[in-house]
């Protein structure tokens, strides 16, 4: 389990990607989108995926997402 946002827990800045702008030295996060994943990988950006369905979850892991973020408890239980 990982915790984010506490002053004593040092983590990289998370940047929400809108359209195609990525930020260096941040974890760039976005909804599952193969074009954005391809751009992130090509430019060696660290990225996280906001998974909305089971396929997003599995593909994001396989495609190298550093983090997979989900709100659906059923999807998050896949890895537990």
């Amino acid at each position: 389990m990982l915790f984010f946002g506490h002053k004593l827990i040092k983590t990289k800045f998370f940047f929400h990607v809108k359209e195609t702008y990525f930020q260096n030295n941040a974890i760039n996060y976005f909804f599952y989108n193969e074009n954005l994943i391809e751009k992130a990988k090509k430019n060696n950006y660290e990225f996280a995926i906001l998974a909305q369905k089971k396929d997003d979850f599995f593909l994001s892991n396989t495609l190298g997402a550093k983090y997979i973020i989900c709100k659906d408890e059923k999807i998050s239980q896949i890895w537990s």
Side-chain angles (χ1 to χ4, degrees):
M1 179 183 296
L2 301 172
F3 291 93
F4 299 98
H6 189 278
K7 64 182 178 183
L8 297 177
I9 300 170
K10 186 175 180 175
T11 59
K12 280 192 173 181
F13 173 71
F14 277 69
F15 177 76
H16 188 191
V17 175
K18 295 179 181 168
E19 298 180 28
T20 60
Y21 177 75
F22 285 75
Q23 190 169 18
N24 289 322
N25 300 318
I27 303 292
N28 295 276
Y29 71 95
F30 46 88
F31 288 102
Y32 184 88
N33 177 311
E34 291 180 1
N35 292 326
L36 293 177
I37 292 170
E38 185 174 44
K39 181 176 180 178
K41 291 178 68 153
K42 181 179 178 182
N43 293 290
N44 295 316
Y45 293 123
E46 291 184 296
F47 66 97
I49 299 296
L50 296 162
Q52 295 182 297
K53 53 189 178 185
K54 194 183 294 186
D55 287 348
D56 296 350
F57 206 84
F58 290 114
L59 289 168
S60 298
N61 182 56
T62 302
L63 294 171
K66 182 149 183 123
Y67 300 101
I68 302 171
I69 304 164
C70 62
K71 290 184 179 180
D72 187 334
E73 187 176 326
K74 291 177 185 174
I75 293 174
S76 66
Q77 289 177 350
I78 291 169
W79 294 115
S80 59

